[in-house]
Amino acid sequence: MNTTGPADKGLRLIPFRGLRYVPERIGSLSAVTSPPYDVVVRPDGLHHLESADPHNIVRLILPQAATPADRHRQAASTLEEWLSEGVLAPDPEPALYVYEQRRGELLQRGVIGALALSAPADGIVLPHEDVMPDVVADRAALMRTTAANLEPLLLTYRKGDETSGAAAVIERTISRSPLLATTTEDGFSHRLWSVTDPGDLAEITDDLAHHQALIADGHHRWATYLRLRDEHPVPGPWGYGLVLLIDTARYPLQVRSIHRLLHGLPVDRAVAALAGSFRIRTVDGPLPEALDALADAAASGNAFLLAGDGRFQLVDRPDPSLLARTVPADRPAAWRSLDATVLHATLLDHIWRIPDAPEHIAYIHDTEAAVSKAEHDGSTAVLMHPVREDVVRELALQGVTMPRKSTSFGPKPATGLVLRSLALG
């Protein structure tokens, strides 16, 4: 993001003693890593990760037990056990960590550290999406019980000058041998370096202190950080949270959609309810071609792709009078015209009358998974077109949050490469 002015109004990133897997105690680094908790949505994905290695990080971020309290206690017990057995161990001294992801021509580099927490009103860390209270409560209970930040949030800022500050330290650091290097099954290679030199640390922290950041991925975990900060003495370790900071002027992120799965609503009923209010067309598959049709329609207005019965229904050109009646008028025009706004305010709330609760709606990142699940369950998948990054930034700068789960920025950091213990300070 743009500079904020005085250094005390910017990002404050500090070193911490990272918890990392001990290579001799695991099969491989790739076998113990995981995508972020909210990307592992299908049971088969969870079971695949659990079976990859008995120490896969998913056993901490998505523990399995009969009740939420049991799950959280199990995660804490597992973490304690892995520490006592030497599966995980803290690094010898506090550090910031340079992190790199690469797949083909896609390259991302940034800095992982413990970031001082701040409220949205402070204008230092800007959210762009609303959150679901039940998810925040669950993540807070897990973090409270384990006393650990188990996976970094993804935050972005914009500078672009590689001759000084964090960018210069990153360029110097990657010439050294990394602490770890692995390639995960999604084809991404990952490398991690520690930065402990006082001069390098000062150069990074002084640079970031002049910037504000956008939450690209991790709104629920950021809300969790803030809730737990309010429960604990400040200053102290709970006043900071684990983040990865990326300068998107140098390493642009990809923006993808998060799709909706509407439990118990067959596609034929969903389509019938929209008749007369939207234009509805059956479009040809396979899925990539149907998504191209969605992109073409989205270029000139609100558009959605409904799937679940073996076909694809393109829904676009909403009745303007319907939008005027159903979309709140007290927000900027850019917010009122968002597909997610129209979906929630007009389709879900007004036409389909579906509450935004887990028993009624699932949020799924993977497009094929959303379609497959809808077809298996006889429900409706609502496939979304991505929001442009400049729209996200502009709304965030205005202090306007988008509907929950409106965007998915990536690539996301792999979970399991470095953790932060609150017990270590």
Side-chain angles (χ1 to χ4, degrees), residues 407-420:
T407 61
S408 176
F409 283 81
K412 305 177 190 302
T415 299
L417 298 181
V418 61
L419 291 62
R420 174 175 176 255

Side-chain angles (χ1 to χ4, degrees), residues 178-189:
L179 288 175
L180 62 86
T182 189
T183 300
T184 45
E185 63 181 8
D186 58 5
F188 275 97
S189 64

Side-chain angles (χ1 to χ4, degrees), residues 98-102 107-109 174 189-191 193:
V98 169
Y99 175 53
E100 175 190 274
Q101 291 187 83
R102 184 192 295 267
L107 174 64
Q108 179 192 85
R109 292 183 181 129
I174 61 173
S189 64
H190 307 263
R191 296 196 295 172
W193 296 260

